[in-house]
Amino acid sequence: MNNISYRVANLEDINDFIALIRNGNENYIDKIIYGCKGIDKFISRNIENDESVLKYFVAQIENKIIGAMEMKILNSNIFLNYIAIDNKFRGKKIGSNLIKYGVEDLLKQYDYGNIQLDVFEDNIGALKLYKKIGFQVINKYEWHTIKTKENQSEIVNYRILNKEEYRSTYDYRGFSNLTLEVNKKIKNVGMLGEKWFRVRSNDLDDNLINCLSQIDDREILSIGEDMLNVSSNKFNINKLYNSYRMETSIDNLIINLNKE
């Protein structure tokens, strides 16, 4: 389709951009930042800040936004955070063209080495595309939930180290990071929407679960390779999904995209 254009997103695109990402992730929307009430303010700040590590791109036909993509710059690499294509326009190589445009735009500023992304195991169409353009699986993550109030087994000592900062940020955009000292260990926890504490599985242990149970009755969303530090006989742990971390070099990606 020759009348499709690709460009950097602007402030006028934000509502359509969010709607596309939400529609493309409807099965997981409460577990990502795009389900939060203040995501529009968050994107707006990043678009206005030329130094932001988050970059936004769109595909457009006439006056309609039909593709949305968020990329993150991580030192000398790129991470593809989110991409979504309007259902009516899928299967027309818009996703691969949008990735190509975004990568080539970022390469104008720096010679990035690799690109990574995460994809859910049940997203067969996306997995097929990513493998076709050169991505390979480098890790597998498990997503689990733990209901805090059903699982508190003991009282632990803790301190919130960034109470004012996390609260003001959360009130503004609906998600934030909580820095805790739990039994003299520093723990970082995401506050996501109204339902979740989001924690890397290798940071999760019995003390942190008990601590979070004291703070709020929201559930814990654990993501990672394993939960070796959690006593499975003490807590009711529910397995949700698997996701894959994938990677390829920028050079390899461009070669494969040019074959599309």
Side-chain angles (χ1 to χ4, degrees):
M1 301 179 71
N2 296 326
N3 52 346
I4 296 176
S5 60
Y6 302 88
R7 59 176 175 81
V8 175
N10 59 48
L11 295 177
E12 295 179 355
D13 301 323
I14 289 177
N15 289 338
D16 290 336
F17 191 102
I18 293 170
L20 276 173
I21 299 293
R22 285 178 171 173
N23 184 62
N25 294 274
E26 58 184 346
N27 293 333
Y28 327 104
I29 192 60
D30 66 319
K31 301 174 186 67
I32 62 175
I33 63 172
Y34 277 83
C36 297
K37 61 182 181 181
I39 186 63
D40 56 334
K41 300 174 184 176
F42 178 72
I43 296 174
S44 177
R45 280 193 172 185
N46 283 298
I47 288 178
E48 291 180 317
N49 178 12
D50 291 337
E51 302 301 317
S52 173
V53 297
L54 292 173
K55 306 297 180 183
Y56 304 89
F57 303 93
V58 296
Q60 180 175 340
I61 183 168
E62 296 179 353
N63 294 321
K64 181 180 176 62
I65 302 299
I66 59 172
M69 179 177 67
E70 176 187 304
M71 287 180 158
K72 185 175 184 178
I73 298 170
L74 295 172
N75 299 317
S76 60
N77 297 316
I78 298 171
F79 200 94
L80 200 171
N81 277 349
Y82 301 97
I83 184 169
I85 306 301
D86 187 309
N87 290 336
K88 297 178 182 178
F89 294 89
R90 290 182 180 176
K92 303 181 186 298
K93 300 183 179 180
I94 296 171
S96 56
N97 287 334
L98 186 55
I99 293 172
K100 181 181 179 183
Y101 178 87
V103 169
E104 290 180 342
D105 184 78
L106 294 179
L107 287 174
K108 296 174 185 177
Q109 306 298 323
Y110 188 81
D111 187 16
Y112 296 98
N114 294 322
I115 180 169
Q116 293 184 344
L117 57 83
D118 289 334
V119 59
F120 286 105
E121 186 178 51
D122 62 355
N123 193 344
I124 306 301
L127 270 169
K128 183 178 179 181
L129 169 63
Y130 297 143
K131 290 178 179 179
K132 183 179 180 182
I133 59 178
F135 284 92
Q136 295 182 333
V137 174
I138 61 171
N139 219 332
K140 183 178 180 178
Y141 298 139
E142 295 182 349
W143 293 53
H144 295 87
T145 61
I146 302 173
K147 292 185 177 180
T148 53
K149 289 306 180 183
E150 294 180 6
N151 286 284
Q152 184 175 347
S153 59
E154 59 184 82
I155 302 298
V156 298
N157 295 319
Y158 74 91
R159 288 193 303 145
I160 300 175
L161 301 181
N162 64 334
K163 190 171 184 178
E164 292 185 6
E165 179 185 352
Y166 105 80
R167 189 73 250 181
S168 62
T169 302
Y170 178 81
D171 289 343
Y172 178 75
R173 66 189 192 189
F175 60 96
S176 185
N177 291 312
L178 187 64
T179 303
L180 302 168
E181 182 182 334
V182 184
N183 287 0
K184 299 183 178 180
K185 293 183 179 180
I186 303 300
K187 300 286 186 177
N188 293 302
V189 176
M191 299 277 288
L192 187 61
E194 299 180 357
K195 185 175 182 180
W196 302 107
F197 289 118
R198 181 165 169 160
V199 186
R200 294 187 181 93
S201 61
N202 58 355
D203 287 335
L204 194 62
D205 56 27
D206 294 5
N207 285 328
L208 182 55
I209 293 174
N210 287 317
C211 167
L212 295 176
S213 300
Q214 294 169 228
I215 294 174
D216 197 283
D217 62 359
R218 60 179 60 215
E219 295 181 48
I220 296 170
L221 178 64
S222 168
I223 306 169
E225 297 175 62
D226 54 56
M227 290 192 292
L228 295 177
N229 300 317
V230 176
S231 302
S232 58
N233 60 326
K234 288 185 179 181
F235 304 104
N236 182 18
I237 301 171
N238 177 43
K239 173 74 175 292
L240 291 181
Y241 339 99
N242 292 322
S243 64
Y244 295 117
R245 173 66 53 86
M246 305 184 78
E247 182 182 64
T248 188
S249 70
I250 297 294
D251 290 342
N252 187 51
L253 177 67
I254 295 297
I255 289 171
N256 284 290
L257 286 172
N258 284 333
K259 295 177 182 177
E260 282 284 284

